[in-house]
């Protein structure tokens, strides 16, 4: 089981918690609302024009070009060629997200008169808007967690890992207050997602509304962060931390004063939960601040860091399918994009171990021997290593039978990465 295989089983420990859950009710009558300028998102779909149309084209882009892309497009391209994505319609799915974002905008503006009345409950306009974002997507657009993944952890279906399991072409919002049966049918018609895909969808829709929402991670979990703080720094992080930071927070804060806030939110259950960073040092696995810093956790991810995480999810799917060579390529690209994350090197080492188990055991024994034997015994150790290398390889080893080695994925190339991750 990979490092993220605990995601589904641990996520729902919090879904029934009503302590911080905020539920929303639509008012009986719509009222006049003030018009608010919505800042357009600073990205382009770039799918039907000159942008990447395949995973290979995406991986060939420099980081500055990746930052201009829609995070939804990046996520969908990473599902290419996986089970559950055979008939994926990227352009149609992006159009669905556009419709959903417009519906969220209309519902939010229609209920702006409630903002001042509910400000004491939420604290800031940003948090109130996140509440409407999550609730509208859940109630009117059918966004939900896949109940099959609560107890049955399975990485072999890409619809559990990427957003095409939540949104597909042709889906139109249905206001639950007006058509409850139709809204329920819409929710049941979608595959559902997990914490690997649902935060991505929320971020994609939020960015279409001009909201400064990014992804962030902790041990075995992905969540969303509203990152428009006026100071540009996380109030729960030591000053000066810049690992994986997005450009969404600047020294002057967001242009809209109502958006100048910074908080984490969960919307994989019903409603939305708001948390500070301290929560993710204790849940879903207790970790220290030093461990979080070492692994790049609790940081606002830019698109490049998010792409590395999507490639790791792709690698998990390929690994569980037994497509080990392709899993190696996915993990290797994740390392290239985010070399500071030690998890990706562990994933790559696991894939290599499964592909070449005998060779892995021999190399590991050699490294341990070289590290454990005193300097004066080096000559003796080197002689033992040389003798072991002269022994015949086991039968059916891939190096003896090249036809047993799995073919390389045609859309990926193996980048220059160390043969063995340092420190493994």
């Amino acid at each position: 089981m990979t490092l993220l295989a605990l995601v589904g089983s641990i996520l729902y420990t919090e879904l029934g918690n009503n302590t911080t859950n905020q539920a929303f009710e639509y008012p009986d009558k719509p009222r006049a609302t003030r018009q608010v300028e919505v800042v357009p998102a600073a990205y382009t779909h770039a799918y039907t024009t000159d942008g990447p149309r395949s995973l290979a084209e995406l991986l060939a882009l420099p980081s500055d070009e990746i930052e201009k892309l829609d995070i939804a497009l990046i996520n969908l391209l990473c599902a290419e060629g996986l089970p559950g994505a055979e008939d994926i319609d990227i352009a149609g799915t992006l159009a669905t997200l556009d419709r959903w974002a417009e519906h969220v905008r209309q519902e939010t503006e229609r209920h702006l008169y409630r903002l001042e009345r509910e400000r004491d409950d939420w604290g800031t306009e940003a948090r109130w808007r996140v509440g409407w974002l999550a609730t509208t997507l859940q109630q009117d657009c059918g966004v939900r967690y896949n109940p099959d993944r609560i107890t049955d952890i399975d990485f072999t279906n890409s619809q559990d890992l990427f957003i095409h399991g939540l949104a597909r072409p042709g889906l139109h919002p249905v206001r639950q207050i007006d058509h409850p049966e139709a809204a329920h049918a819409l929710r049941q018609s979608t595959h559902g997602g997990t914490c690997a895909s649902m935060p991505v969808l929320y971020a994609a829709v939020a960015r279409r509304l001009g909201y400064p929402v990014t992804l962030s991670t902790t041990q075995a979990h992905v969540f969303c962060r509203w990152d428009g703080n006026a100071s540009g720094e996380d109030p729960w992080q030591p000053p000066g931390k810049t690992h994986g930071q997005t450009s969404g927070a600047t020294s002057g804060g967001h242009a809209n004063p109502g958006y100048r806030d910074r908080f984490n939110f969960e919307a994989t259950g019903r409603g939305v939960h708001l948390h500070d960073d301290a929560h993710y040092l204790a849940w879903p696995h207790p970790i220290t601040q030093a461990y979080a810093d070492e692994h790049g956790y609790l940081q606002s991810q830019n698109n490049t860091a998010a792409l590395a995480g999507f490639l790791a999810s792709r690698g998990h799917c390929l690994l569980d399918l037994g497509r080990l060579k392709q899993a190696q390529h996915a993990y290797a690209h994740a390392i290239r994009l985010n070399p500071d994350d030690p998890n990706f090197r562990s994933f790559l080492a696991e894939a290599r171990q499964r592909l070449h188990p005998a060779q892995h055991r021999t190399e590991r024994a050699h490294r341990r021997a070289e590290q454990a034997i005193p300097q004066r015994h080096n000559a003796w150790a080197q002689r033992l290593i040389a003798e072991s290398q002269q022994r015949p390889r086991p039968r059916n080893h891939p190096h003896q039978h090249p036809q047993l080695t799995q073919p390389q994925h045609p859309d990926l190339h193996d980048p220059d990465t160390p043969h063995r991750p340092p420190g493994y």
Side-chain angles (χ1 to χ4, degrees), residues 303-323:
N303 276 358
T304 302
L307 172 56
F310 301 159
L311 289 170
S313 294
R314 177 183 177 86
H316 299 337
C317 182
L318 293 167
L319 191 70
D320 285 2
L321 290 169
R323 294 158 62 177

Side-chain angles (χ1 to χ4, degrees), residues 7-9 11-12 15 75 100 138 141-154 157-167 187-202 221-222 267-269:
V7 167
S9 61
L11 181 61
Y12 262 70
L15 296 186
N75 183 267
W100 288 2
Q138 292 170 17
C141 301
V143 174
R144 66 187 180 98
Y145 199 94
N146 180 6
D148 294 338
R149 296 287 81 82
I150 298 176
T151 56
D152 180 16
I153 309 303
D154 183 5
N157 189 338
S158 65
Q159 294 185 67
D160 294 319
L161 306 175
F162 300 95
I163 62 173
H164 64 290
L166 294 160
R187 286 192 293 273
Q188 297 305 311
S189 69
T190 62
H191 177 85
T194 63
C195 83
S197 59
M198 295 180 72
V200 182
L201 185 136
Y202 287 119
H221 186 58
V222 183
T268 47

